[in-house]
């Protein structure tokens, strides 16, 4: 694609990056077939190619309107288009740049601004979010069923082994996951402990920064990123092997730390190192399969399992076919899931901001997951887990908890 970026953006770091991405797009339209919003709405402007064109127009100096904002807001940032694109267009990075610029140029309605501010001010703060959630759980019996389903029960085993091994890995604790399901990181810690690795949660580290970043509070987001790097760095220097993430949405963000801080002289090097050593928990366990096989106890967990691979795992981190063999080797039968490349509609705060589209995607996803009659649905990201659970009566859990149960 030929480009002629406007003077105000051409020589900035964002302009140079956006230009390089735009030039890779050859308008072929292959990406349309796998875009969930194009599938639902059938509008070119709700496809990757259409959104790329809108961003190109803006970067070339055309007036930016609420129409541009609407079509970028409707994008899930699922990055299915990146997986499909034969030309290697890094759509996710382009849309981050595009959204930031649109936010500067187009003001939002007061109610929309307030909603977004509220989300970025509560979700990343673990204590505050826990308090809101506790109130929601108390009020659950009084809520309409549609709302009550969105307030998950506290469940699972949160016991965490003492750090006792020479091999150590750090864990991203996150913000909403410890409040919604503390059992997930605890299950990862117990599995790793059994194979000789201590998983360490470092005080001072918390939210990965993704919630604020995707709501276009990019400065707030970088403050979370730097706080995590500051908290982890002494442990990295002391020999921690990896930063382990059990929520693939957060893992995608940590993977981007190096890119986000590449122009920051105080953090660029450290951020690049943290990104390079970040691992989804599936990658860590895949490297330890022989040790895990020794520890599996006779089966007592459900056998038929449907695995929902989050977009952040399959398209963001490009981790495919790693969880499934771990589950099969542990004795589970994985049911077939049609259209497994499509988003469930959770997508961070998307389910709260674009409820109509999100609910349509949820219905389609639940139908696909239930089509193989699984006893349990498993996934790898807390956002997808809670969202899918709100649409099905079947239990939905993180796959790591299922594996942990097979080792007890
Ligand atoms: S598939 Fe890639 S090159 Fe083709 S239109 Fe989509 S983004 Fe552009
Ligand atoms: S990120 Fe997802 S929703 Fe957005 S344009 Fe790409 S495929 Fe469509």
């Amino acid at each position: 694609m030929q480009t002629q970026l406007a003077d105000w953006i051409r020589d900035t770091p964002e302009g140079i990056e956006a230009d390089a991405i735009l030039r890779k797009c050859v308008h072929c339209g292959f990406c349309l077939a796998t875009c969930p919003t194009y599938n639902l709405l059938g509008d070119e402007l709700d496809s990757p190619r259409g959104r790329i064109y809108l961003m190109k127009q803006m970067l070339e100096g055309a007036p930016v309107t609420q129409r541009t904002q609407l079509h970028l807001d409707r994008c899930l940032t699922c990055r299915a288009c990146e997986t499909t694109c034969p030309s290697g267009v890094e759509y996710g990075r382009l849309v981050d740049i595009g959204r930031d610029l649109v936010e500067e140029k187009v003001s939002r309605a007061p109610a929309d601004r307030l909603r977004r501010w509220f989300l970025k001010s509560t979700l990343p703060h673990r204590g505050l979010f826990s308090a809101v959630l506790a109130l929601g759980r108390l009020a659950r019996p009084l809520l309409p069923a549609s709302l009550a389903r969105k307030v998950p029960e506290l469940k699972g085993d949160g016991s965490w082994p003492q750090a006792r091994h020479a091999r150590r890995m750090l864990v991203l604790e996150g913000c909403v996951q410890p409040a919604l399901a503390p059992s997930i990181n605890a299950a990862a810690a117990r599995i790793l402990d059994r194979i000789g690795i201590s998983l360490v949660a470092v005080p001072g580290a918390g939210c990965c920064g993704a919630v604020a970043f995707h709501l276009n509070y990019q400065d707030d987001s970088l403050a979370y990123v730097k706080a995590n790097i500051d908290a982890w760095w002494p442990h990295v220097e002391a020999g921690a092997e990896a930063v382990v993430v059990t929520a693939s949405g957060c893992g995608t963000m940590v993977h981007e730390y190096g890119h986000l801080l590449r122009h920051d002289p105080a953090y660029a090097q450290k951020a690049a190192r943290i990104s390079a050593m970040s691992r989804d928990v599936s990658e860590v366990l895949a490297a330890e399969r022989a040790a895990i096989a020794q520890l599996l106890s006779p089966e007592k967990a459900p056998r038929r399992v449907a695995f929902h691979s989050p977009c952040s795992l399959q398209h963001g981190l490009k981790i495919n076919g790693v969880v499934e063999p771990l589950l099969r080797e542990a004795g589970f039968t994985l049911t077939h899931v049609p259209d497994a490349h499509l988003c469930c509609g959770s997508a961070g705060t998307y389910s709260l901001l674009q409820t109509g589209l999100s609910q349509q995607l949820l219905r389609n996803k639940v139908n696909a997951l239930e089509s193989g009659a699984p006893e349990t649905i498993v996934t790898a990201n807390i956002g997808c887990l809670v969202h899918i659970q709100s649409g099905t009566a079947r239990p939905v859990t993180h796959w790591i908890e299922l594996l942990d149960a097979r080792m007890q």
Side-chain angles (χ1 to χ4, degrees):
M1 180 186 282
Q2 289 198 331
T3 58
Q4 191 67 51
L5 263 56
D7 292 345
W8 56 269
I9 187 81
R10 186 185 304 124
D11 298 321
T12 64
E14 294 75 24
I16 292 165
E17 186 180 13
D19 195 42
I21 298 170
L22 286 170
R23 283 170 179 271
K24 283 188 185 170
C25 177
V26 295
H27 310 271
C28 65
F30 285 179
C31 51
L32 273 63
T34 55
C35 173
T37 56
Y38 182 71
N39 282 355
L40 290 181
L41 299 166
D43 182 343
E44 171 80 17
L45 295 180
D46 285 308
S47 78
R49 186 172 62 182
R51 292 180 177 122
I52 288 170
Y53 199 68
L54 286 172
M55 289 186 272
K56 176 179 184 285
Q57 285 180 318
M58 170 177 66
L59 292 161
E60 290 184 336
V64 189
T65 66
Q66 283 175 336
R67 190 181 73 137
T68 310
Q69 190 172 58
L70 172 73
H71 294 295
L72 294 193
D73 279 356
R74 281 185 186 158
C75 170
L76 295 138
T77 330
C78 67
R79 293 167 63 182
C81 47
E82 280 189 22
T83 300
T84 314
C85 176
S87 303
V89 172
E90 293 173 296
Y91 173 88
R93 290 203 168 145
L94 182 65
V95 82
D96 284 345
I97 296 169
R99 283 183 171 141
D100 198 32
L101 294 171
V102 171
E103 208 67 23
E104 283 172 18
K105 293 174 186 296
V106 182
S107 63
R108 291 182 179 275
D112 193 20
R113 275 212 306 275
L114 183 65
R115 207 161 36 149
R116 297 168 79 89
W117 176 87
F118 177 77
L119 291 172
K120 78 97 188 171
S121 303
T122 49
L123 296 180
H125 301 281
R126 199 183 313 162
L128 190 56
F129 179 68
S130 298
V132 172
L133 193 64
L135 282 176
R137 283 181 179 136
L138 278 177
R140 212 165 183 264
L142 309 172
L143 297 175
S146 59
L147 201 56
R149 278 201 300 271
K150 292 190 181 301
V151 183
E153 311 259 13
L154 185 62
K155 55 181 183 180
D157 179 0
S159 60
W160 195 291
Q162 289 284 328
R164 61 191 172 113
H165 300 293
R167 289 187 71 189
R168 288 186 177 221
M169 295 183 181
L170 309 176
V171 65
L172 175 87
E173 283 217 273
C175 49
V176 299
Q177 183 171 292
L180 291 167
S183 50
I184 294 175
N185 275 350
R190 289 192 296 267
I191 294 176
L192 290 173
D193 179 68
R194 292 183 193 112
I195 59 174
I197 300 169
S198 285
L199 193 64
V200 180
V202 177
C207 176
C208 66
V211 170
F213 192 84
H214 294 299
L215 286 166
N216 280 313
Y217 289 92
Q218 298 192 359
D219 289 343
D220 290 42
S221 167
L222 292 183
Y224 291 111
V225 173
K226 289 176 184 177
N228 285 343
I229 294 172
D230 288 341
W232 289 331
W233 194 249
H235 299 267
V236 171
E237 290 191 308
E241 289 179 39
V243 174
V244 180
V245 189
T246 58
S248 56
C250 308
T252 311
M253 182 71 183
V254 179
H255 205 65
E256 291 289 305
Y257 279 10
H259 180 76
L260 294 171
L261 290 172
R262 67 197 184 286
H263 300 303
D264 186 318
Y267 281 92
Q269 214 180 348
K270 291 178 184 176
R273 174 94 186 271
I274 295 287
S275 289
M277 64 190 287
S278 71
R279 298 277 182 281
D280 184 78
V281 66
S282 61
E283 296 177 286
V284 176
L285 296 190
E288 307 286 343
R289 273 155 81 168
I292 289 169
Q294 306 282 320
L295 294 164
L296 295 169
S297 57
E299 183 184 339
K300 54 185 177 182
R303 279 193 57 82
R304 288 180 67 79
V305 172
F307 174 55
H308 166 64
S309 180
C311 300
S312 44
L313 190 74
Q314 57 173 316
H315 305 305
L317 293 168
K318 321 277 186 223
I319 295 176
N320 287 289
V322 176
V323 174
E324 294 91 331
L326 286 166
L327 288 173
R328 283 196 194 99
E329 286 164 22
F332 298 102
T333 301
L334 267 65
T335 60
H336 174 64
V337 180
D339 294 327
H341 61 283
L342 287 178
C343 181
C344 67
S346 171
T349 54
Y350 192 93
S351 61
L352 303 168
L353 296 170
Q354 299 285 337
T355 42
L357 288 171
S358 170
Q359 286 298 311
Q360 288 184 63
L361 291 168
L362 174 63
R363 276 194 295 278
N364 294 346
K365 182 56 70 180
V366 167
N367 287 340
L369 287 165
E370 290 185 339
S371 65
E375 293 161 71
T376 294
I377 295 168
V378 293
T379 187
N381 186 50
I382 184 68
C384 309
L385 191 161
V386 173
H387 189 58
I388 294 170
Q389 186 68 88
S390 75
T392 178
R394 285 178 166 82
V396 185
T397 189
H398 195 295
W399 66 271
I400 198 87
E401 294 185 85
L402 229 49
L403 190 60
D404 178 50
R406 287 280 286 113
M407 292 178 151
Q408 290 169 12

